[in-house]
Amino acid sequence: MKNSQTFNCDLCDSSNYTVLEVARKYIGDNEPPVVCDNCGFCYVRQRRPAKEIAEDWNNIFGEGYTSEWPGVKARLFYVAEFFDQNYGWKGKNVLDIGAGEGTFLKFIQQRDAWVSGLEPSLENCNKIEGLGAKAYCQTIEDPVPDEKFDVVTILWTLENCQDCMRMLRFARECLKPDGQLVVATGSRLMVPFKKPLSSYFSKNPADTHCFRWSKKTLARILNNSNFWLQATNDYEQSDCLVMVGGRGYCVKAPFADRATAVIDFFNRWDREFP
Ligand SMILES: [Zn+2]
C-alpha cells in the first residue's frame, strides 16, 4: 500500500514471523496478517499513517455502523456492568478513547461517573457533548489532555489503531497515579469460535484491523506498557475479552502464545466454521 511502513512485532520486536495463509481467501487483495514466531502475536506488518487509517474508519462508520445496534450496545453494557461489579463507577472521572457516539459514556453516566470522550469525528463529538459530557476532538497522535482521570477505557479500539503501544502509553499518561485502564476486544483468539471465520475477517484494508488478541498477548502488551493485571472477565463464556490494568509498578512477565498453536487455531476455525 502507498505510504505504508513495515512494522516488527509490537510485543517483542521480533522480525521473525509466519504468514497466516489461511486468511487469504477471506480478505480480498489485502496482505494477510502474520503470527510472530517468538511470541505468537497476530498482527499486520504493512501500515499506513494513523490519520489515513482513521479516515478509513470514518468511511466505514459512514456506511451505517452505529453503536445503537443491539449487539454493539449489549457488549458495551457488559463492560459497564463488569467494571461496576468489580470496582464501581460512582464518582469516578472517566475518559473513553475512541468514544464513538458516546453510547458507553451514557451507560456509565447513569452509574454516576463523570465522563469524557476522546474521538476524532466532529459529528460524534457533538453527540458526546449532547450528553453533557466533555469531548476531546482529537486522536492519540495529538497532545495528552491536561486533565487526569481515574479510569481510561479503550473498547473495541486497540485492535483498530496503527500503533497499539502508543495508544497504551497515551492512556497511561491520561491516568492519575493509581488510575485504572479497561481494554475490551472482540478479536479474541484461542477461544471457542463465536462466528464464521468469513465474518471474523473482512475485505476492509488490512491495516484497519492491525491486531488480534489472545488472553496472553493482551496481558503482555498491558504488562509492556506498565500496567499490572487486576481483572480479566470470563472470556471463554462471553464473546469479548475484557482486562483491567492498574497504573503503577509492574513486574515484567513474558506472556506468549506458541506461534504454531495460533496457526493451528486458525486452520481449525477454517475447517470447522468457515
Ligand atoms: Zn512477538
Side-chain angles (χ1 to χ4, degrees):
M1 257 182 300
K2 218 173 65 182
N3 286 339
S4 62
Q5 221 185 315
T6 305
F7 286 73
N8 285 344
C9 175
D10 301 75
L11 264 60
C12 72
D13 202 36
S14 168
S15 56
N16 298 324
Y17 59 87
T18 303
V19 174
L20 193 61
E21 290 294 341
V22 73
R24 282 193 197 276
K25 58 182 156 181
Y26 303 108
I27 57 174
D29 296 332
N30 287 304
E31 183 207 8
V34 300
V35 177
C36 172
D37 289 342
N38 180 49
C39 74
F41 186 44
C42 182
Y43 68 101
V44 169
R45 294 182 76 234
Q46 302 289 335
R47 305 174 203 161
R48 291 167 296 163
K51 283 223 170 355
E52 285 182 39
I53 298 175
E55 271 165 32
D56 268 0
W57 274 108
N58 273 340
N59 296 334
I60 294 166
F61 275 100
E63 282 162 18
Y65 172 93
T66 167
S67 53
E68 290 299 312
W69 286 350
V72 178
K73 213 169 168 175
R75 72 193 191 190
L76 294 173
F77 187 88
Y78 174 87
V79 176
E81 189 62 28
F82 174 72
F83 187 88
D84 212 7
Q85 289 188 16
N86 283 281
Y87 306 100
W89 291 109
K90 197 177 169 150
K92 292 189 181 156
N93 198 12
V94 183
L95 176 70
D96 188 22
I97 295 181
E101 299 154 283
T103 303
F104 179 73
L105 294 178
K106 214 167 6 179
F107 288 145
I108 60 171
Q109 213 173 25
Q110 288 158 0
R111 295 160 191 257
D112 297 323
W114 300 98
V115 299
S116 302
L118 187 145
E119 169 58 42
S121 143
L122 184 61
E123 196 185 337
N124 283 337
C125 284
N126 289 334
K127 288 183 186 168
I128 291 167
E129 282 171 352
L131 299 170
K134 177 148 189 181
Y136 290 94
C137 208
Q138 63 168 87
T139 69
I140 55 150
E141 285 74 34
D142 297 317
V144 173
D146 287 337
E147 193 179 358
K148 297 295 169 227
F149 299 87
D150 298 302
V151 186
V152 169
T153 55
I154 302 177
L155 312 178
W156 286 270
T157 297
L158 193 61
E159 55 269 48
N160 304 128
C161 69
Q162 189 239 28
D163 185 341
C164 50
M165 282 297 292
R166 182 169 185 175
M167 183 170 274
L168 292 172
R169 271 198 305 274
F170 184 97
R172 200 168 186 280
E173 286 171 28
C174 291
L175 283 167
K176 294 179 186 172
D178 59 346
Q180 290 176 293
L181 171 77
V182 181
V183 177
T185 173
S187 71
R188 312 168 314 155
L189 303 182
M190 319 307 277
V191 293
F193 312 133
K194 77 166 172 183
K195 57 182 174 187
L197 190 55
S198 51
S199 5
Y200 179 81
F201 286 119
S202 84
K203 295 188 169 66
N204 290 336
D207 59 7
T208 56
H209 199 138
C210 287
F211 316 114
R212 298 171 190 276
W213 310 96
S214 70
K215 185 200 173 184
K216 284 183 188 166
T217 55
L218 186 59
R220 177 152 175 169
I221 198 152
L222 293 189
N223 192 254
N224 280 359
S225 319
N226 290 312
F227 289 98
W228 57 281
L229 299 179
Q230 294 183 329
T232 306
N233 73 323
D234 192 357
Y235 63 96
E236 285 184 322
Q237 299 204 48
S238 158
D239 63 7
C240 61
L241 169 61
V242 186
M243 265 183 199
V244 181
R247 187 189 193 278
Y249 179 72
C250 178
V251 180
K252 288 284 186 288
F255 301 104
D257 287 315
R258 267 190 311 116
T260 50
V262 175
I263 290 162
D264 285 350
F265 166 80
F266 276 106
N267 287 339
R268 194 162 57 81
W269 196 346
D270 176 53
R271 278 196 312 273
E272 293 177 10
F273 202 14

